Amino acid sequence: MTLDVSGDGAALSFTEKLGQIPWSFVLMITLVASVGFAMLYSAANGQFDPWASRQMLRFAVGLVVMLFIAMIDIRLWMKMAYPLYGLGMLLLIGVDLFGSMGKGAQRWIDLGFVQLQPSEIMKITLVMALARYFHGASLEDTGRIPFLLIPLGIVAAPVALVLAQPNLGTSMMLIMASGAMFFLSGVRWWKFALVISAVLIAIPLSWEFLLHDYQRDRVETFLDPDSDPLGTGYHITQSKIAFGSGGLMGKGFLQGTQSHLNFLPEKQTDFIFTMLAEEFGLVGSISFLVLYCLLLLFGFIIAGRCRHQFGRLLALGLTVNLFLYLFINVAMIMGLIPVVGVPLPLISYGGTATLAVMVGFGLLISVHVHRDVRMSRRGLGDL
Amino acid sequence: MSAFDRDAERQRMLSRRTLVLGGLQGAAVATLMGRLYYLQIVESDRYKVLAEDNRISLRLVAPPRGLITDRFGVPLAVNEQNFSTIIVSERAGDVQQILDEVGKLIPLTEADERRIQRDIQRSRSFAPITIKENLTWDQVAAIEVNLPDLPGVSIDVGQVRSYPFGEALSHVLGYVGAASEKDVEGSSDPLLTLPGFRVGKGGIEKQYDQALRGAAGNRQLEVNAVGRVIRELSRDPGQTGREVALTIDAKLQHYMHQRLSAEESAAAVVMDVHTGGIQALCSSPSFDPNQFAMGIGYEAYQALLKDERTPLINKVIAGQYPPGSTFKMLTALAALESGIINADHRVTCAGHIELGSHRFHCWRRGGHGTLDMVGALMHSCDVYFYDIAGRIGMDRIAEMARKFGLGGKVGLELPGERPGLIPDPKWKRKALKQPWHQGETLIASMGQGYVLTTPLQLAVMTARLASGKAIQPHLLKSIEGQFTETTQWPAIDVKADNLAVVLKGMNAVSNVPGGTGYRARINVAGMEMAGKSGSAQVRRISMAERSTGVRTNESLPWRERDHALFVAFAPVHAPKYACAVIVEHGGGGGTVAAPIARDILLECQMLEAARATVAQQPPPSTDTSPAPLPVEGGTP
């Protein structure tokens, strides 16, 4: 058996690649995004302006970007993994220096036509960099602690910058997605146990010295949202009322009282799923979760079919990312975890988040199209 | 181990761990779904209620206050539209500029402008702010015409209580005002929490406030998170206050008010002797209840409070006066009922009698000569009543007085009634810790000393004498068409023969030449009245003054003059109306109060006759009553 039994991926023609694109997956992405358009239409009291129309435009741009990325050879992406990671780091440093203030946190770079959120970009480039690093790692390698120090550094640097913005939600996502990558690469269970215990010890310390007042408020609010219903607990209380009053069948499209009468905060961004649940009830919200999970399932299938480690890790990492968006957002608005500013991709109104997940989907499809390309353990030699 | 095997092993590890990861994610999503189930199914009912609470704001709607009418349906208290101009700042743009424009149309003081600006800053931009209330028609018209140039400004129509008869009925109706803390305390009526809601503050408005007020309605409004009204979901106008019809005759009341206004300070009341229904009740001077309903100014209120003629006090129920000689019917009746004295008992009046070291004077210095009981009533001889009172004792007199409604509240439906006082030995021992003196019985027999009565009590006494029934006075004829009046009163426990003697005496007062009220008689056939005069001394007449001659009322300052009283009923042969009149510090009862009683009772009967005429032809011919004659000398 040799490694080059498979056909040469580079030999695939443009039309062959187009044929390889999983169009059912693209259709499903569009379906989910369309649910988002409908909800944004409702959030604007039955109007396309100001949110639905712009979101549709962004999604259209996103689709083009996604397909473009999907057509690019996976080996080029592997080659670009570290440089892109470096670029992401530069942008992150950039926001700390030049970022405009948004809600008390430096998260944006205003490029004029779009407000760039480097932390969203970092969610992808970090996964790429880690996939690149672990692509050539044998199980013996991942068993050695010195071998793990470099990827730990790769993770720690952006996490520290994002925490400094401060953006607790995104840094948690970066850590959890990276943790999944480490886990998938075969890092021993006991090492995770060790790190988790260390974190548990660190929590009281960081509570005391690291967290900002508003972050502490959020956690306290989460623990007892009814203690201050008109203050910081207001959002979650109103969100729960919206969920509950939706009942089994919901109040009907455009009929959500909590959202349309502005009791629901940020209904077009972080709390958009609340609005969906209010208007379409348990039936609608479960159906939506199932639809979203199908996207995740696609990610797993793509990873399973891929014949190189980089593709597998990249696909799984991106899928985990998508899962984390969904879980953190939905759990937060249902009052299961503290309020952290995480949007629901494809549904929430927002430029960077939409673009970021579309880039992610592009990479996923690229993995699928190039699932059979030959890659050496050391990576780039064969290109 | 070959590179392939190592890769395969790594792939197997990856697959295993992918499964673990997938399982974890599946569990996480299952948790989310469980949470959804909990929120949307298990707790759904609770959250639905909360969402409705959020969405729906209940606003109280004040129902229109019930009307008050007289016995014939003439409106006495109504609700009138009250115009005010309001501004909604979010629609106005430059509020100050708009206010300047409005200021050219209606006068706005600097204080007004400050209040408006303050209210605007305190309220949300969509909340209407009152610019000015109680606009006149001209002001409303001026603003209406200019509305296109006044964005955000509009005219608002509210309701204000209005009293068409003004001062004439203020003591009966009372007025409405903002609820005080005392009103709100202990009441669960949500209407009281409404800003600007008015409650009854006196008279019928207070007495029947619950009925007149009605029940609160509400509007269900859909509001958003900042309280802006999105739309009205439903409206329940509430229950309009019930209509209260009084026994008052508005025409008679109006006449009586005019008649009493001629005096400095007077009060009068007329009632039906069979039902006890008050036909007219007037205390003069009076006040304008419309001023109170609009909100009276401090200075105007202080002026009313400080007036020594007490315009704010209803003298009919709250003025306590010695009844003077109007009390003598009761002394006479007590004597007859005791069996000790009969109607033929004669006393010779020499102008005074002696009791111990004291000399008790008759009002006529020369004395009346020999009189029987009817004559004594006719001439109001004090000595006769000293004599019989001395024989029967105070307890019998007091018992008779209470039988006829004196000495305690009679229970008219007006707040602020006072009880008066009928003294007896027991009362004096208890209240003053002093023994009763025989002389005090003599003084009380002619309605002086400790005896105090209200004009209402005197009217009740007269009505009971005239009808022989223990009628109770009342003002309520019906509530929302439910009649409450009755003529079924128990008979008073006195012998008809004895009562007839007293009535004969009262007839003689008015209709026999020489009677103290003869000059103020009614000489319209079939309408004649029977009465009794009284003059109540306000000051003590000293021995020194008697020796130099008692000063005439005209020579005394107003506050020291006698109160003039007269009680009467008519028509004398078939009593229908009873009347009591008091003119504070007016002088002699026969000269000052009797003509007023005559005019009132005549007007009362004329009005009735006129109504009968309208109902059935032909009209009865009537003479006009003579003008009151000027009478010299102080005959009580």
Side-chain angles (χ1 to χ4, degrees):
Chain A
M1 284 263 191
T2 55
L3 287 174
D4 55 357
V5 281
S6 54
D8 189 354
L12 281 172
S13 72
F14 182 75
T15 41
E16 281 172 318
K17 280 187 179 181
L18 269 184
Q20 286 296 315
I21 287 178
W23 291 105
S24 55
F25 184 52
V26 177
L27 191 71
M28 236 156 55
I29 291 168
T30 313
L31 200 62
V32 171
S34 303
V35 172
F37 304 150
M39 292 328 292
L40 288 174
Y41 176 80
S42 177
N45 291 321
Q47 284 176 328
F48 282 103
D49 281 331
W51 298 311
S53 53
R54 285 197 230 169
Q55 185 77 356
M56 286 160 97
L57 191 70
R58 282 170 184 162
F59 180 71
V61 173
L63 266 184
V64 174
V65 171
M66 177 185 85
L67 292 175
F68 179 75
I69 289 171
M71 302 300 280
I72 291 172
D73 195 299
I74 193 73
R75 284 169 291 194
L76 182 60
W77 287 122
M78 184 157 151
K79 194 176 167 189
M80 295 294 287
Y82 290 143
L84 285 174
Y85 171 82
L87 186 66
M89 281 301 291
L90 282 177
L91 288 172
L92 267 183
I93 293 164
V95 278
D96 282 358
L97 295 180
F98 311 109
S100 41
M101 300 295 286
K103 298 187 183 165
Q106 289 185 323
R107 295 176 185 176
W108 316 87
I109 289 179
D110 197 344
L111 294 183
F113 68 97
V114 66
Q115 288 190 319
L116 205 58
Q117 211 173 342
S119 57
E120 291 294 325
I121 294 168
M122 184 48 76
K123 283 174 190 167
I124 293 169
T125 51
L126 180 61
V127 168
M128 286 173 78
L130 289 175
R132 165 81 180 83
Y133 187 82
F134 285 116
H135 168 71
S138 67
L139 287 179
E140 291 84 52
D141 290 336
T142 52
R144 285 187 291 119
I145 290 177
F147 182 81
L148 295 178
L149 288 180
I150 292 170
L152 278 177
I154 290 175
V155 176
V159 165
L161 286 171
V162 173
L163 262 182
Q165 284 179 351
N167 185 341
L168 192 62
T170 302
S171 36
M172 291 303 289
M173 268 186 75
L174 291 176
I175 290 170
M176 288 163 83
S178 309
M181 300 285 285
F182 277 71
F183 178 68
L184 292 167
S185 304
V187 175
R188 302 282 175 209
W189 287 98
W190 64 265
K191 289 186 179 127
F192 284 95
L194 199 71
V195 170
I196 289 168
S197 345
V199 168
L200 287 178
I201 291 163
I203 282 175
L205 293 174
S206 60
W207 177 265
E208 210 49 50
F209 303 110
L210 275 179
L211 290 187
H212 285 252
D213 280 346
Y214 85 95
Q215 290 168 328
R216 266 179 242 172
D217 275 351
R218 282 176 176 183
V219 177
E220 279 170 351
T221 299
F222 161 71
L223 294 174
D224 186 8
D226 299 326
S227 63
D228 182 19
L230 287 178
T232 39
Y234 178 80
H235 292 187
I236 282 307
T237 305
Q238 292 299 341
S239 177
K240 279 157 77 177
I241 291 173
F243 269 105
S245 61
L248 181 65
M249 299 307 293
K251 296 174 185 169
F253 187 51
L254 301 177
Q255 305 294 314
T257 57
Q258 283 289 104
S259 35
H260 288 285
L261 299 172
N262 289 333
F263 290 102
L264 195 62
E266 311 258 339
K267 59 179 182 288
Q268 78 280 14
T269 56
D270 290 0
F271 285 85
I272 195 156
F273 181 68
T274 309
M275 191 178 166
L276 185 147
E278 188 191 13
E279 297 196 344
F280 297 103
L282 183 70
V283 171
S285 49
I286 296 269
S287 307
F288 177 79
L289 282 185
V290 168
L291 188 67
Y292 220 97
C293 285
L294 287 179
L295 288 181
L296 298 176
L297 195 62
F298 248 96
F300 280 110
I301 291 172
I302 287 172
R305 284 206 188 163
C306 184
R307 295 184 63 172
H308 42 83
Q309 186 77 347
F310 176 74
R312 290 192 285 255
L313 286 176
L314 183 59
L316 287 174
L318 292 170
T319 307
V320 165
N321 247 339
L322 195 64
F323 165 79
L324 287 174
Y325 271 122
L326 175 76
F327 180 78
I328 292 175
N329 177 270
V330 175
M332 164 189 87
I333 61 179
M334 289 196 294
L336 282 173
I337 60 168
V339 175
V340 284
V342 170
L344 186 59
L346 293 181
I347 310 292
S348 291
Y349 178 76
T352 346
T354 309
L355 226 53
V357 288
M358 292 308 279
V359 167
F361 286 135
L363 289 171
L364 256 180
I365 296 174
S366 176
V367 169
H368 183 72
V369 171
H370 305 97
R371 58 189 179 275
D372 293 330
V373 297
R374 223 180 47 188
M375 277 202 242
S376 79
R377 292 284 299 280
R378 296 290 161 226
L380 307 171
D382 298 346
L383 190 66
Chain B
M1 194 183 276
S2 73
F4 178 81
D5 288 341
R6 288 219 301 256
D7 197 52
E9 192 191 340
R10 197 174 63 160
Q11 200 176 339
R12 278 199 300 280
M13 163 75 90
L14 181 73
S15 300
R16 278 203 308 275
R17 293 205 162 182
T18 303
L19 272 178
V20 170
L21 204 63
L24 281 175
Q25 292 185 9
V29 172
T31 309
L32 294 182
M33 289 182 175
R35 179 69 171 174
L36 277 172
Y37 178 80
Y38 173 77
L39 287 176
Q40 300 199 276
I41 304 295
V42 180
E43 292 278 280
S44 181
D45 288 341
R46 186 166 76 87
Y47 286 120
K48 273 176 184 156
V49 172
L50 289 173
E52 289 295 279
D53 282 355
N54 262 344
R55 177 173 81 96
I56 293 171
S57 161
L58 273 182
R59 307 261 165 105
L60 282 179
V61 174
R65 196 170 172 84
L67 296 185
I68 303 176
T69 70
D70 83 343
R71 61 185 301 110
F72 303 112
V74 176
L76 307 179
V78 297
N79 304 311
E80 277 192 351
Q81 288 184 324
N82 175 35
F83 296 94
S84 52
T85 174
I86 54 175
I87 186 167
V88 176
S89 61
E90 70 174 1
R91 292 192 211 133
D94 185 348
V95 171
Q96 190 54 52
Q97 189 200 328
I98 300 292
L99 284 183
D100 290 344
E101 290 294 321
V102 171
K104 290 175 191 163
L105 303 170
I106 56 173
L108 287 182
T109 63
E110 262 183 45
D112 283 336
E113 295 211 13
R114 272 201 303 277
R115 175 188 55 77
I116 295 165
Q117 292 287 4
R118 190 196 61 211
D119 286 353
I120 285 176
Q121 273 171 14
R122 283 183 187 170
S123 313
R124 299 224 178 239
S125 61
F126 53 81
I129 305 294
T130 302
I131 298 177
K132 196 151 181 100
E133 289 182 303
N134 302 326
L135 298 182
T136 65
W137 258 116
D138 289 344
Q139 290 172 334
V140 171
I143 290 177
E144 290 275 4
V145 168
N146 288 288
L147 277 185
D149 302 326
L150 300 170
V153 174
S154 57
I155 298 284
D156 192 44
V157 187
Q159 286 202 320
V160 68
R161 196 69 157 167
S162 169
Y163 304 96
F165 286 84
E167 291 194 352
L169 266 159
S170 53
H171 285 122
V172 174
L173 299 177
Y175 52 91
V176 293
S180 64
E181 260 177 54
K182 215 174 133 196
D183 295 325
V184 178
E185 228 170 70
S187 168
S188 59
D189 192 340
L191 281 172
L192 294 179
T193 61
L194 269 184
F197 187 75
R198 307 273 155 140
V199 297
K201 286 293 189 183
I204 291 295
E205 292 274 31
K206 182 172 184 179
Q207 189 74 26
Y208 291 108
D209 194 45
Q210 287 298 330
L212 290 165
R213 197 187 283 173
N218 61 60
R219 291 195 297 156
Q220 283 197 327
L221 299 176
E222 188 175 74
V223 295
N224 72 3
V226 293
R228 182 193 292 269
V229 175
I230 306 299
R231 63 197 162 116
E232 187 174 282
L233 300 173
S234 70
R235 175 191 279 260
D236 165 15
Q239 197 195 348
T240 307
R242 288 187 281 171
E243 184 173 317
V244 170
L246 302 182
T247 56
I248 293 284
D249 175 349
K251 279 189 178 165
L252 181 64
Q253 177 78 24
H254 178 70
Y255 174 81
M256 198 151 98
H257 173 68
Q258 297 285 321
R259 184 68 184 81
L260 292 186
S261 299
E263 305 294 335
E264 286 274 316
S265 174
V269 54
V270 180
M271 63 196 292
D272 186 307
V273 302
H274 300 297
T275 64
I278 304 281
Q279 303 272 322
L281 186 157
C282 203
S283 176
S284 176
S286 185
F287 59 90
D288 184 359
N290 293 305
Q291 265 190 315
F292 283 81
M294 292 275 211
I296 190 170
Y298 175 79
E299 277 171 29
Y301 187 63
Q302 287 300 314
L304 286 173
L305 267 185
K306 284 176 183 154
D307 192 329
E308 65 173 354
R309 299 173 306 159
T310 61
L312 291 178
I313 291 174
N314 183 353
K315 298 182 188 93
V316 175
I317 59 165
Q320 302 185 109
Y321 310 93
S325 300
T326 59
F327 189 74
K328 283 174 180 167
M329 282 84 82
L330 299 179
T331 308
L333 205 50
L336 293 171
E337 285 285 304
S338 71
I340 299 169
I341 305 293
N342 65 28
D344 297 328
H345 178 77
R346 283 167 190 275
V347 173
T348 302
C349 167
H352 61 86
I353 65 167
E354 313 273 347
L355 184 77
S357 60
H358 254 81
R359 174 175 281 196
F360 293 83
H361 291 268
C362 187
W363 64 270
R364 182 181 252 186
R365 275 156 84 188
H368 286 97
T370 303
L371 294 167
D372 63 1
M373 189 172 279
V374 170
L377 281 167
M378 170 180 161
H379 295 288
S380 199
C381 176
D382 294 336
V383 166
Y384 186 93
F385 290 94
Y386 295 151
D387 176 83
I388 61 172
R391 291 167 196 269
I392 62 172
M394 189 62 211
D395 285 329
R396 285 197 178 88
I397 298 173
E399 190 200 345
M400 190 57 66
R402 294 194 183 105
K403 218 176 248 185
F404 278 82
L406 308 187
K409 291 183 182 177
V410 294
L412 187 66
E413 314 97 303
L414 289 180
E417 192 192 340
R418 301 190 64 184
L421 176 65
I422 296 299
D424 60 19
K426 208 171 123 195
W427 164 82
K428 196 180 177 195
R429 267 199 310 278
K430 207 175 158 194
L432 303 180
K433 312 264 187 276
Q434 285 169 4
W436 185 263
H437 301 296
Q438 176 81 13
E440 288 169 332
T441 305
L442 306 198
I443 298 288
S445 75
M446 46 171 279
Q448 294 275 169
Y450 297 114
V451 182
L452 286 174
T453 59
T454 65
L456 176 66
Q457 287 172 336
L458 293 179
V460 169
M461 172 192 82
T462 310
R464 288 183 179 183
L465 285 169
S467 67
K469 289 185 281 191
I471 57 98
Q472 284 288 333
H474 57 265
L475 276 162
L476 185 69
K477 185 178 179 222
S478 64
I479 289 188
E480 201 72 28
Q482 296 277 317
F483 289 90
T484 55
E485 280 195 289
T486 176
T487 54
Q488 304 297 309
W489 300 102
I492 288 210
D493 176 26
V494 289
K495 289 198 186 78
D497 292 350
N498 294 339
L499 199 56
V501 172
V502 171
L503 296 186
K504 195 177 172 191
M506 290 179 75
N507 180 40
V509 167
S510 289
N511 298 315
V512 174
T516 56
Y518 181 70
R519 294 186 194 199
R521 70 189 176 279
I522 293 178
N523 55 4
V524 178
M527 292 190 182
E528 296 90 345
M529 72 177 186
K532 183 72 195 80
S533 58
S535 304
Q537 251 173 246
V538 176
R539 69 199 176 97
R540 211 180 174 81
I541 299 173
S542 65
M543 286 303 285
E545 193 182 330
R546 280 202 196 276
S547 59
T548 57
V550 176
R551 291 176 67 181
T552 58
N553 271 309
E554 286 72 19
S555 68
L556 290 165
W558 183 72
R559 284 208 65 83
E560 290 183 16
R561 292 178 197 171
D562 294 346
H563 293 312
L565 296 103
F566 202 83
V567 299
F569 62 86
V572 69
H573 299 297
K576 178 92 196 286
Y577 303 106
C579 171
V581 174
I582 180 165
V583 180
E584 277 194 324
H585 311 294
T591 50
V592 177
I596 298 176
R598 174 202 60 209
D599 291 350
I600 290 169
L601 282 175
L602 182 60
E603 177 73 13
C604 189
Q605 294 178 87
M606 294 295 251
L607 284 169
E608 191 189 354
R611 286 198 181 93
T613 309
V614 172
Q616 63 187 65
Q617 302 290 338
S621 64
T622 52
D623 295 348
T624 49
S625 64
L629 295 169
V631 179
E632 290 146 41
T635 48

